[in-house]
Amino acid sequence: NVRYGGRTAVPHDDEQRTPETTLPAGGTLRLFDRKGRGVLTEIALTAKDVGADALTNVWVELSFDGKATCSAPLGTFFGNECAYHRGLVETALLTLDLSGKDAKCSNRFPMPYFTSAAVVLANRGKGAALKTAFSVKPVAQWQLISPMVTTKS
């Protein structure tokens, strides 16, 4: 279970996956769009023939509760912005494996939302298309653990 602000979310098997898709230069791909409450527990991506160009020109755009909250290049979002390290970068919450010509990426920061969540991949480059498969793992709606107390002034 994921706890956030005195609340918890109960996990369920609701992973949203996109099959391998080609994202052309200038194109966007909506990967996840959900109304209601929940938490994104992982955003994962595999991509073919990834170079520094894709890591800087393909962007991950996140919106939570109707507000754009994150817009970052693929490499930055997964922890290896310019592909200076063509190996495995792995931390407790981020993984970016560039040890081969393909990329395997994972971001496991808990990302709570209360009314909506959206994940978009945007290819802002002018060069080659990106062949990618993506998965987003949400957690079920929030359940109140402890009551919130408010006082009147």
Side-chain angles (χ1 to χ4, degrees):
N1 292 358
V2 177
R3 285 186 52 81
Y4 185 80
R7 298 172 185 231
T8 191
V10 180
H12 62 87
D13 186 21
D14 193 19
E15 183 174 359
Q16 187 166 330
R17 294 179 173 272
T18 60
E20 185 171 289
T21 305
T22 300
L23 178 60
T28 61
L29 179 60
R30 185 166 290 276
L31 305 167
F32 184 82
D33 197 351
R34 178 78 46 94
K35 303 287 185 216
R37 296 177 175 190
V39 180
L40 297 185
T41 59
E42 181 178 27
I43 296 175
L45 169 135
T46 57
K48 306 274 186 197
D49 299 319
V50 171
D53 182 60
L55 293 175
T56 57
N57 289 320
V58 176
W59 286 55
V60 178
E61 299 172 350
L62 305 176
S63 297
F64 294 103
D65 304 324
K67 296 179 184 171
T69 57
C70 175
S71 183
L74 197 64
T76 302
F77 187 77
F78 291 109
N80 190 356
E81 182 172 0
C82 298
Y84 291 134
H85 178 71
R86 289 296 300 184
L88 174 63
V89 175
E90 189 166 29
T91 69
L93 297 172
L94 295 171
T95 301
L96 180 54
D97 185 355
L98 295 172
S99 56
K101 62 180 183 173
D102 299 343
K104 296 177 184 120
C105 316
S106 178
N107 183 321
R108 296 173 296 280
F109 280 94
M111 297 168 254
Y113 56 94
F114 296 93
T115 59
S116 63
V119 179
V120 174
L121 202 58
N123 188 344
R124 297 182 181 183
K126 296 181 177 149
L130 179 72
K131 289 185 181 176
T132 183
F134 216 87
S135 70
V136 179
K137 292 182 182 175
V139 173
Q141 68 181 17
W142 293 103
Q143 291 181 343
L144 189 60
I145 293 234
S146 56
M148 293 184 167
V149 177
T150 59
T151 58
K152 293 183 181 180
S153 343

